[in-house]
Amino acid sequence: MKISTKGRYALRVMIDIATQKQEGYISLTDIAKRQEISNKYLEQIIGKLLKAGYLKSARGNSGGYMLSKKPKEYKVGDILSVMEEKLSPTDCVIEGCSRQENCKTFSFWKGLDDVINSYVDSKNLEDLIK
């Protein structure tokens, strides 16, 4: 399992938006500058976060993006899941395997998957901000 740049950047974007002291919406250009992410790539990330309902957007001069909820209400695992196809270390844990009953390594992979998911779900956006 490897977290992609989209997953890592999504966390950075969510933290960036959450930590801005100004009231109202944060422009994409401002986020891109602070996070050193191209506007085009950032649009892809924000599009997924909007679709998931994690951000609100507004158009116009004072438009931009803001969190839909409080930072403590966002589990890191949920944000990563929006961006990543999978967080599991192997496909057999997700899809099941015809050899599962006789596989000597399945319980190891399942245990690792449980630890990963437990850890990312135990942290929220507010934890990362602190």
Side-chain angles (χ1 to χ4, degrees):
M1 177 202 78
K2 183 177 179 181
I3 303 298
S4 70
T5 55
K6 283 187 179 179
R8 294 191 328 265
Y9 288 179
L11 286 175
R12 285 174 38 191
V13 166
M14 294 289 285
I15 291 167
D16 184 282
I17 293 170
T19 57
Q20 293 309 302
K21 301 296 182 208
Q22 69 189 51
E23 293 293 319
Y25 292 88
I26 313 297
S27 79
L28 184 127
T29 303
D30 290 344
I31 299 166
K33 283 180 187 173
R34 280 191 299 274
Q35 295 303 316
E36 299 177 352
I37 303 171
S38 75
N39 282 15
K40 189 169 185 142
Y41 198 50
L42 186 56
E43 286 171 356
Q44 294 174 35
I45 294 165
I46 285 183
K48 287 187 174 192
L49 294 170
L50 280 168
K51 188 175 181 181
Y54 294 167
L55 297 176
K56 298 188 281 188
S57 66
R59 296 178 184 257
N61 246 0
S62 58
Y65 303 93
M66 69 170 46
L67 299 182
S68 300
K69 304 180 275 187
K70 295 177 181 166
K72 68 181 178 181
E73 297 178 52
Y74 293 96
K75 286 194 273 182
V76 170
D78 291 340
I79 296 167
L80 290 175
S81 292
V82 166
M83 306 311 291
E84 306 294 334
E85 268 185 47
K86 59 185 177 182
L87 294 177
S88 297
T90 63
D91 289 339
C92 63
V93 175
I94 303 168
E95 300 164 4
C97 175
S98 60
R99 300 189 66 233
Q100 183 175 327
E101 290 180 24
N102 299 317
C103 181
K104 301 291 185 197
T105 60
F106 179 78
S107 63
F108 172 79
W109 297 124
K110 177 68 174 120
L112 180 58
D113 183 59
D114 292 345
V115 168
I116 291 167
N117 285 305
S118 175
Y119 182 73
V120 298
D121 287 343
S122 73
K123 305 294 180 190
N124 62 48
L125 203 55
E126 191 170 282
D127 295 329
L128 298 182
I129 291 168
K130 292 179 182 176

